[in-house]
């Protein structure tokens, strides 16, 4: 539902830039960074012969190379963007241990890593090392499930996941790391360098992009959604129960001047 709105905004901004002669630069963080990448990809396909590139500089974006391939129902994203070609006009800055920006999706253009200096002694390494190796679906499940419903090791995983995200993905942490001495050069290259992300062709022989519909993914997502639904249903029931109990106790209380006293 957000993509049609995004296109409307981009179309209007592009029209205004043509009238003013200003060059467009898209930017964003996390999911907003991915939308900025899609906006750049969209205009590149819409006006391929335009006399300027539609640059995008994003931070901890969740990646716009793979998921447009899965959205084949309703509004087909492939009608608006081409994830099967390289997009060197897009540059994303990501922490190497970021479970959202670095691991959630592939970048469509240039991927730059920051925060690599003294990485193994950083607070991010202390907590992020404990979550690596766990499936993303399990991390999502423990993240949305109340601690009272989790096993002890799952509670620890939930906490580690939360703190890892705090040190690597939140915009405040991104700013702190990029402003650290030696983290970012005058040319815009961070301490971890930049590289062009390999483009997965449509056939995807290396299985670089998820295909969706896996059995484990289905059960994990179903469990997470079930947990959320139970929370929504249980909270009103618990509130009604306590209200009824209080009313019942109040009604059963004998007044000192009543006939029953």
């Amino acid at each position: 539902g957000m993509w049609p709105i995004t296109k409307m905004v981009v179309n209007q901004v592009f029209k205004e830039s043509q009238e003013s002669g200003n060059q467009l630069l898209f930017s964003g963080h996390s999911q907003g960074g991915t939308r900025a990448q899609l906006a750049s990809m969209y205009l590149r396909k819409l006006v391929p012969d335009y006399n300027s590139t539609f640059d995008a500089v994003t931070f901890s974006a969740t990646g716009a190379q793979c998921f447009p391939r899965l959205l084949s129902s309703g509004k087909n994203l492939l009608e608006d963007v081409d994830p099967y070609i390289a997009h060197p006009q897009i540059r994303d800055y990501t922490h190497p241990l970021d479970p959202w920006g670095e691991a959630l999706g592939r970048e469509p253009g240039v991927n730059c890593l920051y925060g690599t200096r003294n990485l193994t002694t950083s607070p991010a390494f202390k907590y992020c090392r404990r979550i690596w190796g766990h499936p993303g679906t399990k991390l999502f499940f423990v993240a949305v499930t109340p601690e009272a419903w989790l096993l002890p090791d799952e509670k620890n995983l939930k906490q580690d996941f939360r703190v890892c995200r705090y040190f690597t993905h939140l915009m405040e942490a991104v700013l702190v790391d990029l402003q650290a001495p030696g983290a970012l050069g005058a040319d815009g290259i961070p301490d971890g360098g930049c590289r062009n992300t390999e483009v997965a062709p449509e056939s995807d022989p290396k299985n670089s992009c998820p295909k969706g519909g896996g059995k484990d993914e289905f059960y994990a997502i179903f469990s997470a959604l079930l947990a959320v639904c139970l929370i929504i249903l249980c909270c009103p029931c618990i509130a009604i129960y306590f209200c009824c109990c209080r009313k019942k106790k109040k009604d059963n209380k004998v007044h000192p001047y009543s006939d029953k006293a």
Side-chain angles (χ1 to χ4, degrees):
M2 289 295 295
W3 177 238
I5 299 176
T6 302
K7 283 202 303 180
M8 289 176 57
V9 174
V10 172
N11 288 337
Q12 181 62 32
V13 172
F14 176 55
K15 179 182 177 181
E16 294 176 358
S17 71
Q18 287 181 301
E19 296 172 352
S20 64
N22 294 327
Q23 184 176 351
L24 285 177
L25 174 64
F26 297 100
S27 186
H29 167 255
S30 192
Q31 185 184 146
T34 302
R35 294 193 182 280
Q37 295 176 354
L38 289 173
S40 173
M41 297 164 68
Y42 166 64
L43 286 182
R44 183 182 178 188
K45 186 173 183 178
L46 183 67
V47 282
D49 299 325
Y50 195 64
N51 59 3
S52 177
T53 59
F54 302 103
D55 294 336
V57 179
T58 60
F59 302 90
S60 306
T62 50
Q65 184 182 147
C66 291
F67 82 86
R69 310 172 186 215
L70 296 175
L71 302 180
S72 57
S73 60
K75 290 293 183 180
N76 191 347
L77 218 57
L78 295 179
E79 297 175 355
D80 298 319
V81 303
D82 188 355
Y84 304 120
I85 63 173
H87 290 276
Q89 81 278 11
I90 298 174
R91 175 180 291 195
D92 182 68
Y93 291 86
T94 309
H95 193 285
L97 300 180
D98 183 358
W100 297 95
E102 180 62 14
L104 195 58
R106 291 171 64 87
E107 304 300 335
V110 181
N111 186 26
C112 300
L113 298 179
Y114 66 86
T116 59
R117 294 164 58 92
N118 304 318
L119 179 64
T120 57
T121 58
S122 66
F125 184 81
K126 176 182 178 180
Y127 294 95
C128 295
R129 66 183 298 184
R130 301 173 184 171
I131 71 170
W132 285 99
H134 292 279
T137 47
K138 182 176 182 179
L139 293 175
F140 175 77
F141 173 76
V142 299
V144 301
T145 304
E147 288 193 10
W149 296 9
L150 297 175
L151 299 174
D153 60 330
E154 292 176 333
K155 293 180 181 179
N156 294 333
L157 183 61
K158 180 185 180 78
Q159 176 66 10
D160 293 335
F161 187 40
R162 181 189 298 123
V163 179
C164 173
R165 180 177 179 271
Y166 172 83
F167 281 117
T168 62
H169 188 72
L170 296 189
M171 194 64 213
E172 293 81 357
V174 175
L175 291 174
V176 169
D177 285 339
L178 287 176
Q179 293 174 359
L184 188 65
D187 56 357
I189 305 298
D191 50 6
C194 296
R195 61 180 178 85
N196 293 318
T197 306
E198 181 182 359
V199 178
E202 187 171 0
S203 58
D204 196 11
K206 297 181 180 179
N207 293 321
S208 301
C209 292
K211 302 297 187 294
K215 183 177 180 181
D216 293 338
E217 287 82 355
F218 171 79
Y219 283 118
I221 295 176
F222 177 80
S223 299
L225 293 176
L226 179 61
V228 173
C229 292
L230 288 174
I231 295 172
I232 296 174
L233 292 174
C234 288
C235 288
C237 294
I238 293 174
I240 293 173
Y241 172 79
F242 280 107
C243 288
C244 292
C245 287
R246 290 183 63 183
K247 184 178 180 181
K248 185 176 180 181
K249 289 180 179 179
K250 185 177 180 180
D251 293 340
N252 291 337
K253 187 176 180 180
V254 179
H255 194 276
Y257 298 105
S258 66
D259 295 337
K260 296 180 180 180

